[in-house]
């Protein structure tokens, strides 16, 4: 019985630690996400759009195509970003963390590669390509 | 004494018995060594078996089988279907030996019953946890062919490991790593690395391994020879010349260190000249500015390279596209064909021309145009240099309209050559692009392409076109021009007077080799990315086509979905 109690105690402690860690991580993630502004601070900024285009061509266009329509040599499964509709915060989240996608691949995570400012600048460029159905506003308020 | 003598006699008898047994064991071993695929089988033209990705060492993709011919090929029926469950393009050409079809897909090797299509075994290789890097999703799971020698299948996994797998059991006798693989950006400070998508080639006493995918961030390309017994490295040949080699000065600064030239399609081998011939990829990055902006030839990239397989030395390199401003890989398999008594390297490539080179010396002989629309150059001069090449784009400036596109006049999909008729069959395409240079960015030791390209799919002159040419004259004999853009997956020629190929629209076709008449067609449901093979089993000729790929590289007009199948057809 004594051994069973000890084992149970250890299990509870481990579970508790895991729960704490999970909560802590979730808290950190939520905190990190909360630092992203609701809308893109570089929207309409010509200099930022130019820089964003340059980086988009460099790291995004091989899969999403130079027109961001998903037609590209290296990523036939790249999404058509002209109709991105999840809002700015979700855009930043997907770029930073990556995302499993449809047919064959996944969007890589760029959070440890591209600075937040660069991701914002690329977003500012993409906003200029938006066509009907796209939404780049506050993700909380996006049309559903 | 008697007892000692008796003992000695006893020991002697035991030793003699052991020796006799040993001799028997040695003999059995020798017989075992002859089991499986022998060197003489590897040297033969394909007939009952298909032992090389391209059929023979010379890359002809021409089978001696005649059972299927124009009079009866209309009776073909699907005999079996096997799904590899693949996640990406089925770019591998299967092998066939002794009742078994072998195929690689998604870092897995399958042995398939060639009568029924049932799975006999599968060998699965798990990629490392930190696997990743630039274009990892684009490359992962793709393989071009296997090799077979003795009792082993040789398989190159994406993380640049060679696996020797027993052909009957599916168990590996060795797994040998060669180069560092690309790592995920988020898990490494250096994400650059080599990638194994190319297929190996079995020659006597060696397995030749192209180490490729130098587009993963910029690295120089190599070909290696390994021992089939234990995977030991026998030699390694640089595609880009090193100090003291001709062409070393054709790379400014440190550009050769990341210059690309990955030999990403299997080459050919000549047993008399003892040379392996390979095409090489584009120079890297695509943007030519860091490589001399067209003023330097960048020898070894977009080239045909000969490697002496006894020494690993490179006797010659011919640069098909000096300075490679257009991402014109010339990785296509260089065919070895004797023309007018001269052993000749024949390479149809992205430039829209077929290049003819002397196999012994690399001397340029001629270039015959096959693409309908070419504007990047007018042709080639007698020295083998492009004539009147258009001006290069300005970095950060406007894009240029260039034909052919980076997809080329032909791409990775193999040609076939019929030595009896002297005809070569090409899975060609016609497509242009808007092409421009952008500043090269560097992340985690990975240079990006530094170029932008947009394909002109909506032009009227964008189409798939399958060509039959007289090899010697370069004249067109017939064409099968489709209404939509794409590539056939590769050609198969047979002594029965047929050509087999599968169009981008998934139509598997048997065509009269002389006239181009389509004698049989069946839609296989998804896009081809490799060529068919043929074999003989139980007195019946089979044709096998692997299909499955992302249709059209972003061109959606074929209305096909992705999914990988291997289909066996017979009468």
């Amino acid at each position: 019985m004594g051994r069973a109690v000890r084992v149970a105690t250890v299990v509870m402690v481990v579970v508790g630690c895991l729960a704490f860690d999970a909560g802590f991580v979730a808290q950190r993630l939520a905190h990190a996400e909360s630092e992203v502004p609701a809308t893109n601070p570089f929207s309409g900024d010509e200099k930022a759009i130019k820089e964003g285009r340059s980086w988009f061509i460099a790291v995004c266009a091989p899969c999403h195509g130079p027109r961001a329509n998903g037609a590209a040599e290296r990523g036939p499964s790249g999404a058509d970003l002209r109709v991105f509709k999840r809002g700015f915060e979700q855009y930043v989240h997907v770029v930073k963390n990556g995302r499993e996608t449809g047919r064959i691949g996944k969007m890589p995570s760029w959070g440890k590669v591209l600075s937040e400012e660069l991701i914002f600048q690329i977003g500012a460029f993409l906003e200029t390509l938006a066509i009907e159905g796209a939404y780049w506003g506050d993700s909380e308020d996006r049309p559903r | 004494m008697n007892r000692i003598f008796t003992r000695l006699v006893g020991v002697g008898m035991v030793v003699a018995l052991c020796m006799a047994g040993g001799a028997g064991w040695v003999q059995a071993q020798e017989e075992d060594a002859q089991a499986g695929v022998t060197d003489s089988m590897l040297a033969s033209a394909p007939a009952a078996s298909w032992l090389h990705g391209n059929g023979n060492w010379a890359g002809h993709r021409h089978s001696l089988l005649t059972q299927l011919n124009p009079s009866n090929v209309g009776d073909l029926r699907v005999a079996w279907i096997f799904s590899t469950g693949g996640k990406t393009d089925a770019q591998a050409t299967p092998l066939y030996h002794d009742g078994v079809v072998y195929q690689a897909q998604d870092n897995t090797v399958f042995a398939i019953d060639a009568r029924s299509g049932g799975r006999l075994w599968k060998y699965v290789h798990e990629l490392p946890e930190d696997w990743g890097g630039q274009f990892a999703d684009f490359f992962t799971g793709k393989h071009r062919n296997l090799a077979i020698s003795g009792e082993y299948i040789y398989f190159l996994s994406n993380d640049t490991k060679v696996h020797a797998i027993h052909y009957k059991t599916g168990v590996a006798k060795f797994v040998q790593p060669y180069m560092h693989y690309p790592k995920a950006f988020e898990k490494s400070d250096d994400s650059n690395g080599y990638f194994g998508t190319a297929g190996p080639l079995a020659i006597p006493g060696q397995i030749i391994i192209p180490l490729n995918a130098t587009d993963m961030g910029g690295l120089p390309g190599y070909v290696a020879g390994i021992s089939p017994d234990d995977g030991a490295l026998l030699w390694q040949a640089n595609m880009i010349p090193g100090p003291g080699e001709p062409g070393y000065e054709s790379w400014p600064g440190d550009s050769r260190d990341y210059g690309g030239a990955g030999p990403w399609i299997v080459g050919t081998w000549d047993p008399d000249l003892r040379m392996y011939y390979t095409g090489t990829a584009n120079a890297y990055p695509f943007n030519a500015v860091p490589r001399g902006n067209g003023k330097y030839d960048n020898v070894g990239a977009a080239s045909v390279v000969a490697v002496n397989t006894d020494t690993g030395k490179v006797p010659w390199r011919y640069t098909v596209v000096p300075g490679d401003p257009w991402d014109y890989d010339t990785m296509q398999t260089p065919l070895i064909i004797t023309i007018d008594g001269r052993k000749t390297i024949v390479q149809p490539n992205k430039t829209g021309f077929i290049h003819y080179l002397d196999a012994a010396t690399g001397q340029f002989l001629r270039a015959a145009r096959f693409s309908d629309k070419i504007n990047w150059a007018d042709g080639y001069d007698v020295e083998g240099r492009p004539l009147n090449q258009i001006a290069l784009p300005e970095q950060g400036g406007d894009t240029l309209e260039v034909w052919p596109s980076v997809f080329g006049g032909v791409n990775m999909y193999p040609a076939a050559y019929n030595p009896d008729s002297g005809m070569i069959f090409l899975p060609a395409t016609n497509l242009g692009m808007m092409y421009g240079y952008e500043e090269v960015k560097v992340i985690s030791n990975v240079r990006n392409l530094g170029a932008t390209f947009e394909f002109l799919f909506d032009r009227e002159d964008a189409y798939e076109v399958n060509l039959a040419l007289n090899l010697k004259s370069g004249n067109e004999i017939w064409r099968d021009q489709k209404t939509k853009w794409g590539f056939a997956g590769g050609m198969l020629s047979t002594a029965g007077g047929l050509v087999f190929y599968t169009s981008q629209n998934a139509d598997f076709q048997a065509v009269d080799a002389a006239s181009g008449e389509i004698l049989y067609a069946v839609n296989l449901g998804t896009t081809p990315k490799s060529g068919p093979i043929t074999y003989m089993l139980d007195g019946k000729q089979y044709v096998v086509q692997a299909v499955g790929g992302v249709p059209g590289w972003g061109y959606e007009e074929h209305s096909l979905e992705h999914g990988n199948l291997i289909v066996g057809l017979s009468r």
Side-chain angles (χ1 to χ4, degrees), chain A residues 50-63 65-67 69-78 96-97 99-114 118, chain B residues 87-89 133-135 137-139 185-187 215-216 282 286 327 350 396-397 406-407 438-439 441-444 448-455 457 550-551 553-556 560-562:
Chain A
K50 192 176 172 193
E51 186 67 7
R53 178 192 172 279
S54 179
W55 278 90
F56 177 83
I57 294 293
V59 299
C60 313
C63 294
R67 291 179 187 262
N69 60 1
E73 186 209 11
R74 305 247 151 157
S77 61
K96 280 184 173 178
N97 300 296
R99 179 173 162 256
E100 296 294 329
T101 60
R103 289 195 297 208
I104 60 165
K106 63 177 184 179
M107 163 84 180
S109 60
W110 295 92
K112 292 190 176 176
V113 178
L114 298 175
L118 267 180
Chain B
K87 293 175 184 168
T88 186
D89 292 359
Q134 182 175 234
F135 309 134
D137 284 344
F138 177 69
F139 287 113
F185 287 122
E186 64 272 29
K187 293 177 182 170
D215 281 4
M216 292 299 286
N282 54 284
F286 289 9
D327 181 32
K350 278 191 178 184
V406 299
F407 287 142
E438 298 287 336
E439 182 189 353
K441 315 278 192 196
V442 184
I443 298 171
S444 187
N448 68 58
L449 308 176
T452 175
F453 34 91
E454 189 178 353
F455 300 106
F457 291 127
V550 177
W553 306 81
Y555 173 78
E556 299 288 354
L560 295 169
E561 297 299 327
H562 173 258

Side-chain angles (χ1 to χ4, degrees), chain B residues 407-465:
Chain B
F407 287 142
V410 290
N411 201 285
M412 70 188 93
Y413 314 110
Y417 171 70
N418 183 330
D420 299 324
S421 67
M423 289 167 72
I424 189 166
F425 306 98
L426 305 183
T429 200
N430 216 46
L431 182 70
M433 65 176 173
M434 300 305 295
Y435 195 69
Y437 293 161
E438 298 287 336
E439 182 189 353
V440 176
K441 315 278 192 196
V442 184
I443 298 171
S444 187
N445 197 28
V446 168
R447 288 171 170 78
N448 68 58
L449 308 176
T452 175
F453 34 91
E454 189 178 353
F455 300 106
L456 304 174
F457 291 127
D458 56 350
R459 297 289 181 85
E460 278 185 7
D461 39 8
Y463 48 77
E464 171 187 329
V465 57

Side-chain angles (χ1 to χ4, degrees), chain B residues 521-532:
Chain B
V522 60
N523 192 278
L524 299 181
T526 188
T527 294
K529 299 283 181 176
S530 64

Side-chain angles (χ1 to χ4, degrees), chain B residues 154 162 173-174 178 205-207 225-234:
Chain B
Y154 293 86
V162 181
K173 74 170 172 180
F174 68 76
Y178 284 99
Q206 292 188 23
I207 305 295
I226 65 157
S227 163
D229 299 328
D230 57 8
L233 185 68
L234 303 174

Side-chain angles (χ1 to χ4, degrees), chain A residues 13-110:
Chain A
V13 168
V14 169
V15 169
C17 287
L18 283 170
F20 171 78
D21 277 356
F24 177 74
V25 169
Q27 212 173 27
R28 286 295 299 268
L29 282 174
H31 180 66
E33 291 298 322
S34 71
E35 290 176 353
V36 176
T39 56
N40 193 336
F42 291 102
S43 286
D45 180 328
E46 287 300 324
K47 195 176 164 197
I49 290 169
K50 192 176 172 193
E51 186 67 7
R53 178 192 172 279
S54 179
W55 278 90
F56 177 83
I57 294 293
V59 299
C60 313
C63 294
H64 291 282
R67 291 179 187 262
N69 60 1
E73 186 209 11
R74 305 247 151 157
S77 61
D80 183 347
L81 300 175
R82 299 170 307 166
V83 291
F84 184 79
K85 52 179 68 110
R86 293 163 175 256
F88 179 67
E89 265 186 287
Q90 279 300 305
Y91 155 76
V92 175
H93 178 79
V94 170
V95 175
K96 280 184 173 178
N97 300 296
R99 179 173 162 256
E100 296 294 329
T101 60
R103 289 195 297 208
I104 60 165
K106 63 177 184 179
M107 163 84 180
S109 60
W110 295 92

